[in-house]
Amino acid sequence: MKTYSTGELAKACKVSVRTVQYYDKEGIVVPSQLSVGGRRIYSEDDFKKFHCVCLYKSLGFSLEDIKKIMETEDTYDLLLEVIMKQQEKISDEIHTLEKTKEKLNMVKEEIDNTGTLRLESLDEMEALLDKKRKHRKTDIMTYIFMGCYVLILFVGFPITVSVGGIYPFVMLIIAITLLLGLIFYHSGVNAYICPSCHEKFPIGFFKDMFTLNGGSKGKYLKCSHCGHRGWMKESFPE
């Protein structure tokens, strides 16, 4: 039967010699034999156990949990329990990281849009995040309105034209009403940031209807604060 020294086991499992020694010290994988000189000698079974430990470690299990798994007879029951605990822990970490990423994106966007960072406390950051989340919901409503408008215009209207009668006029009235409602809603839930003075300002229904929209660039507007004229990015009202 093949045996392994500490160095051979470390090399085969791609870990350091210190790791092998530490797992022995903690009683996780203890060598089956000791040489006359007191050196560790690991058997094939020890080698398989060490591979399992490396697998569990790569899954993020704590050494305490790994030791329990290696010592218990109901290995798979305990393993399932540890896996579920680890999944829950990872889910919490992902949620925390996503919130941190959201905050970083918001800070970056604030600096990009205003040229400065006006946030002075965690409470202000949370309040601004809440506003941004609500604004994203209004964006979804805008897309729903737009989808309905496009559906009516390019599907409903041609169908009613083929039917004839008063139906095309009814469908046209519905499309116009929906478009006006979309513009009214859009003008009420959005504001624009001036790239010159970095101040936000809202616009009215008619200005929203007749000013040029540049997609991701925003709208071509005149700032109500400094008079600068140019592309203003869309944002949420103060």
Side-chain angles (χ1 to χ4, degrees):
M1 181 181 289
K2 181 174 175 58
T3 58
Y4 301 82
S5 66
T6 300
E8 289 170 339
L9 183 64
K11 185 176 180 181
C13 295
K14 299 179 181 179
V15 297
S16 67
V17 169
R18 185 172 293 180
T19 298
V20 177
Q21 294 170 342
Y22 181 73
Y23 285 174
D24 174 22
K25 179 183 174 184
E26 294 297 316
I28 298 171
V29 181
V30 179
S32 298
Q33 304 173 49
L34 289 175
S35 69
V36 177
R39 294 188 175 184
R40 300 173 178 86
I41 300 175
Y42 292 89
S43 66
E44 281 286 352
D45 286 341
D46 297 333
F47 176 75
K48 291 175 182 177
K49 285 180 182 178
F50 204 92
H51 258 303
C52 284
V53 170
C54 292
L55 171 63
Y56 298 151
K57 191 64 180 170
S58 72
L59 294 173
F61 294 2
S62 68
L63 289 180
E64 182 183 353
D65 286 334
I66 292 173
K67 188 174 181 180
K68 287 178 183 177
I69 292 169
M70 302 303 290
E71 290 176 349
T72 186
E73 293 182 1
D74 300 324
T75 302
Y76 293 109
D77 290 339
L78 181 58
L79 183 56
L80 286 173
E81 182 183 329
V82 174
I83 286 172
M84 287 188 288
K85 185 173 75 173
Q86 184 67 6
Q87 286 176 326
E88 186 177 339
K89 177 186 173 185
I90 290 172
S91 295
D92 290 341
E93 289 175 351
I94 290 172
H95 179 67
T96 301
L97 288 172
E98 284 177 343
K99 288 187 71 174
T100 302
K101 184 181 178 181
E102 187 180 19
K103 290 175 183 177
L104 289 170
N105 287 339
M106 185 200 65
V107 170
K108 180 180 180 298
E109 186 178 331
E110 184 77 3
I111 295 172
D112 287 343
N113 290 337
T114 66
T116 185
L117 183 62
R118 302 176 185 180
L119 301 172
E120 296 181 355
S121 69
L122 185 60
D123 289 340
E124 287 185 11
M125 179 177 286
E126 291 293 343
L128 189 59
L129 268 174
D130 189 52
K131 285 183 179 180
K132 287 184 71 65
R133 292 187 191 107
K134 290 178 179 176
H135 189 250
R136 278 199 292 267
K137 291 179 181 178
T138 65
D139 285 343
I140 293 171
M141 288 300 298
T142 302
Y143 293 141
I144 291 173
F145 268 117
M146 183 63 73
C148 293
Y149 173 72
V150 170
L151 193 64
I152 288 172
L153 196 63
F154 292 99
V155 178
F157 189 68
I159 291 174
T160 55
V161 168
S162 64
V163 173
I166 65 168
Y167 296 108
F169 298 101
V170 173
M171 189 59 68
L172 184 61
I173 291 171
I174 293 173
I176 292 172
T177 303
L178 188 62
L179 178 61
L180 294 176
L182 172 63
I183 296 170
F184 179 80
Y185 177 78
H186 185 267
S187 63
V189 299
N190 290 294
Y192 294 86
I193 302 174
C194 176
S196 178
C197 67
H198 307 300
E199 294 291 338
K200 287 184 182 180
F201 61 95
I203 61 173
F205 172 81
F206 289 105
K207 185 167 284 189
D208 200 340
M209 180 186 292
F210 295 112
T211 48
L212 184 63
N213 194 316
S216 60
K217 292 191 295 184
K219 279 184 173 289
Y220 193 83
L221 298 165
K222 180 180 179 181
C223 176
S224 60
H225 295 282
C226 67
H228 173 77
R229 191 180 293 276
W231 292 105
M232 312 285 178
K233 286 188 176 181
E234 194 173 275
S235 183
F236 52 87
E238 292 292 353

